[in-house]
Amino acid sequence: MNILSGSGERLGRLGGYATLAGNGIILGSVGAFGGIGGTAIICAIIAGFIFFFSSIGLPLALVLFSHVATLTQVDDMLLRYAKWGLVVLLTIWSILQLSLEQRLTKYQANPIEISALAYLGWGLACSLLAVAPMRSAGEVLRMMTLIPAYTLTRMLVRKPGHVMALLAAFGISVIVSALASFAEIFGSGVPRASGLYMNANMLGIFMSFAVPALYLGFYLSKNWLFRIYFAGCIAAGGLALLMSWSRAGYLSLAVTTIIFLVIRKNKRMLALLAGVAVVGAILFFSSPTGQLVISSSLRLKSGVTHRTLLWKHGFEAFASHPIFGVGYAAPKNDVVERIYWNDPVQHLLYREPDSSFAPHNIYLYAMMSAGVLGLLFLLTLFYQISRFMAIGWRTARSPDVRVACQIGLALMGGIVAHGFFETGGFFGHGSWATYFWVLIGVISAIQSGAMQRNSKGSNAEPAPAGSV
């Protein structure tokens, strides 16, 4: 069944897409010309209120503005307060709406939410014995705010227009980040683009979530104009990812793509990728020029010296606290027993000893923060999300649901690979993690059957939350 079926949805979506287009133009100007950032972001928020106070106001706001972490001429704290204020207001609105519809009384936690809360609950308990208890507890509570983003998204998304509006918003955020990246590379001459984030690796993580969301929009769109739009967004996102030089981002998206093609049994594309890999290997081993190009593209010469040192110190912290860990967001000077300041690498990594220690490995981070059980709870969460998507794929009654769940399952493969080299892809400090949970929420809503329409053209009653 076509997820876009029903001509009545077209008029209902028109106002939303017009507002999205307006936000795209305004935010696009922010990406390309940072000097007008203050006025532009205020105008975008005001314009967005027209559509934000619809039933998907909260997830739409999260998608449009979460990637805006820094703007020229705008104080970072002011921007943060503005975003949090908007999110809190829309969260209250969403809960009130669900209460009036008597949907909160029917809420049932699904395996994803239960396993996420188990992981974070154990982390909160371990915070009592952490080296910095209040700091650790604060970090766990921050991570907990991502779960309502998932829950409210899957409960609020109930119509085909909701899905397409959110995926179109992903496209706007990607284009804005790409414009900002182009301005950085060609205007400021920076070596690595970070978009509107403050770090290039953050941009890489964001794109590894956003590009699969855009492909989902491309697949679900039966209108050729929408397909052109999503294809253009995918191209812009790919270029921005390349300009970020984020090797973990490259790996995550590559693994996601390969798993998706294997699941889809797309032999032609797999053969093409294999051919490109073989040609790349031949060039690398046979041509000095090829070695230079590939080494530069993948930043192979820079190595992973910084990460290996962080891994070493992270494992030492786990070995000294194997049961309850040292807590989340532990200060570097409480994790590393001895810092050799005459070592340039250690001086670079630990020059701010009171900042949080991040070992650039999510599994090691769980172990050192919450002990062995912390790792087991994290792996259980990964398993539950993957299982949820796999069951949705196997039991899907329509191609749209099947492909959405396949993308979700492939995305988890990318997350697992990415986790070996980054800490924050899943519960990150930055707002990039919001995009993962919103996307998983959209796919869960599609899988639940809430996106299907009955013969009378009205929305079907959603399946119980957590059902597969």
Side-chain angles (χ1 to χ4, degrees):
M1 179 177 177
N2 180 7
I3 201 169
L4 292 179
S5 61
S7 58
E9 283 293 328
R10 296 176 182 175
L11 291 176
R13 293 198 303 265
L14 183 60
Y17 283 127
T19 304
L20 284 173
N23 276 284
I25 294 171
I26 295 172
L27 283 174
S29 67
V30 174
F33 312 104
I36 62 173
T39 303
I41 195 68
I42 292 173
C43 292
I45 291 175
I46 293 174
F49 263 89
I50 299 173
F51 194 46
F52 286 167
F53 280 106
S54 70
S55 58
I56 58 167
L58 176 63
L60 187 60
L62 291 174
V63 171
L64 281 174
F65 296 115
S66 289
H67 70 108
V68 184
T70 180
L71 291 173
T72 304
Q73 298 180 356
V74 177
D75 180 77
D76 288 340
M77 291 305 297
L78 176 62
L79 181 63
R80 182 177 299 179
Y81 290 147
K83 289 167 59 178
W84 269 104
L86 179 64
V87 169
V88 169
L89 183 63
L90 292 173
T91 300
I92 296 172
W93 172 260
S94 299
I95 293 174
L96 178 61
Q97 177 187 347
L98 291 172
S99 299
L100 293 174
E101 296 175 358
Q102 297 182 344
R103 297 189 64 208
L104 286 180
T105 58
K106 301 178 182 178
Y107 168 76
Q108 297 176 8
N110 67 15
I112 295 176
E113 292 155 338
I114 293 173
S115 54
L117 290 175
Y119 168 64
L120 296 174
W122 172 250
L124 192 61
C126 291
S127 296
L128 297 174
L129 302 174
V131 295
M134 295 302 296
R135 187 166 173 166
S136 177
E139 173 63 9
V140 174
L141 292 175
R142 182 202 63 79
M143 291 190 289
M144 282 185 174
T145 62
L146 293 168
I147 308 307
Y150 164 76
T151 300
L152 290 174
T153 297
R154 74 175 180 85
M155 293 183 71
L156 294 170
V157 173
R158 289 172 287 170
K159 300 179 181 179
H162 292 169
V163 171
M164 299 312 296
L166 283 171
L167 297 179
F170 267 93
I172 289 174
S173 295
V174 165
I175 290 175
V176 171
S177 291
L179 287 172
S181 300
F182 296 151
E184 284 182 299
I185 295 294
F186 300 109
S188 304
V190 298
R192 298 179 64 190
S194 58
L196 294 180
Y197 284 115
M198 293 175 284
N199 182 282
N201 287 333
M202 297 179 186
L203 178 63
I205 296 171
F206 163 59
M207 289 301 172
S208 68
F209 298 155
V211 171
L214 294 174
Y215 178 77
L216 177 59
F218 177 84
Y219 178 84
L220 296 178
S221 299
K222 309 307 177 184
N223 185 299
W224 64 273
L225 287 175
F226 284 126
R227 287 206 158 197
I228 291 176
Y229 167 76
F230 282 112
C233 293
I234 291 172
L239 288 174
L241 177 59
L242 288 174
M243 289 187 292
S244 74
W245 298 89
S246 172
R247 292 168 294 184
Y250 296 165
L251 176 65
S252 177
L253 189 57
V255 172
T256 299
T257 302
I258 292 172
I259 292 177
F260 179 72
L261 292 176
V262 170
I263 292 174
R264 298 288 294 171
K265 299 180 180 179
N266 193 325
K267 297 180 180 180
R268 291 184 179 180
M269 285 300 300
L270 287 171
L272 177 62
L273 291 177
V276 171
V278 170
V279 171
I282 293 174
L283 289 175
F284 182 79
F285 290 109
S286 64
S287 169
T289 302
Q291 292 179 20
L292 177 63
V293 171
I294 295 174
S295 297
S296 300
S297 301
L298 299 178
R299 295 168 53 221
L300 297 179
K301 291 184 178 181
S302 62
V304 291
T305 305
H306 296 182
R307 281 181 169 84
T308 52
L309 183 61
L310 291 170
W311 295 342
K312 175 179 179 293
H313 289 158
F315 189 80
E316 289 174 350
F318 161 70
S320 61
H321 300 79
I323 306 301
F324 300 105
V326 298
Y328 291 88
K332 293 176 180 177
N333 55 3
D334 288 332
V335 173
V336 183
E337 294 183 359
R338 181 179 298 176
I339 300 175
Y340 295 94
W341 293 108
N342 59 341
D343 184 332
V345 174
Q346 294 199 34
H347 184 275
L348 176 65
L349 292 175
Y350 303 126
R351 63 185 183 276
E352 297 178 358
D354 193 50
S355 61
S356 300
F357 179 85
H360 279 267
N361 184 302
I362 194 171
Y363 311 105
L364 182 56
Y365 185 58
M367 290 169 60
M368 61 164 279
S369 300
V372 175
L373 282 179
L375 175 62
L376 293 178
F377 279 125
L378 178 67
L379 295 178
T380 300
L381 175 58
F382 281 10
Y383 168 76
Q384 290 293 354
I385 299 177
S386 302
R387 179 177 178 272
F388 193 86
M389 297 301 168
I391 293 176
W393 160 34
R394 294 297 188 184
T395 60
R397 297 182 179 180
S398 75
D400 292 340
V401 177
R402 185 177 302 113
V403 170
C405 292
Q406 289 171 340
I407 290 175
L409 184 59
L411 183 63
M412 285 308 301
I415 286 289
V416 169
H418 185 275
F420 285 102
F421 301 97
E422 291 289 350
T423 300
F426 204 67
F427 285 114
H429 287 279
S431 53
W432 63 82
T434 304
Y435 289 90
F436 171 82
W437 290 102
V438 170
L439 178 55
I440 294 298
V442 171
I443 296 174
S444 297
I446 296 174
Q447 181 196 1
S448 72
M451 304 306 299
Q452 303 300 319
R453 304 180 63 84
N454 59 27
S455 59
K456 295 181 180 181
S458 61
N459 288 330
E461 181 70 20
S467 62
V468 291

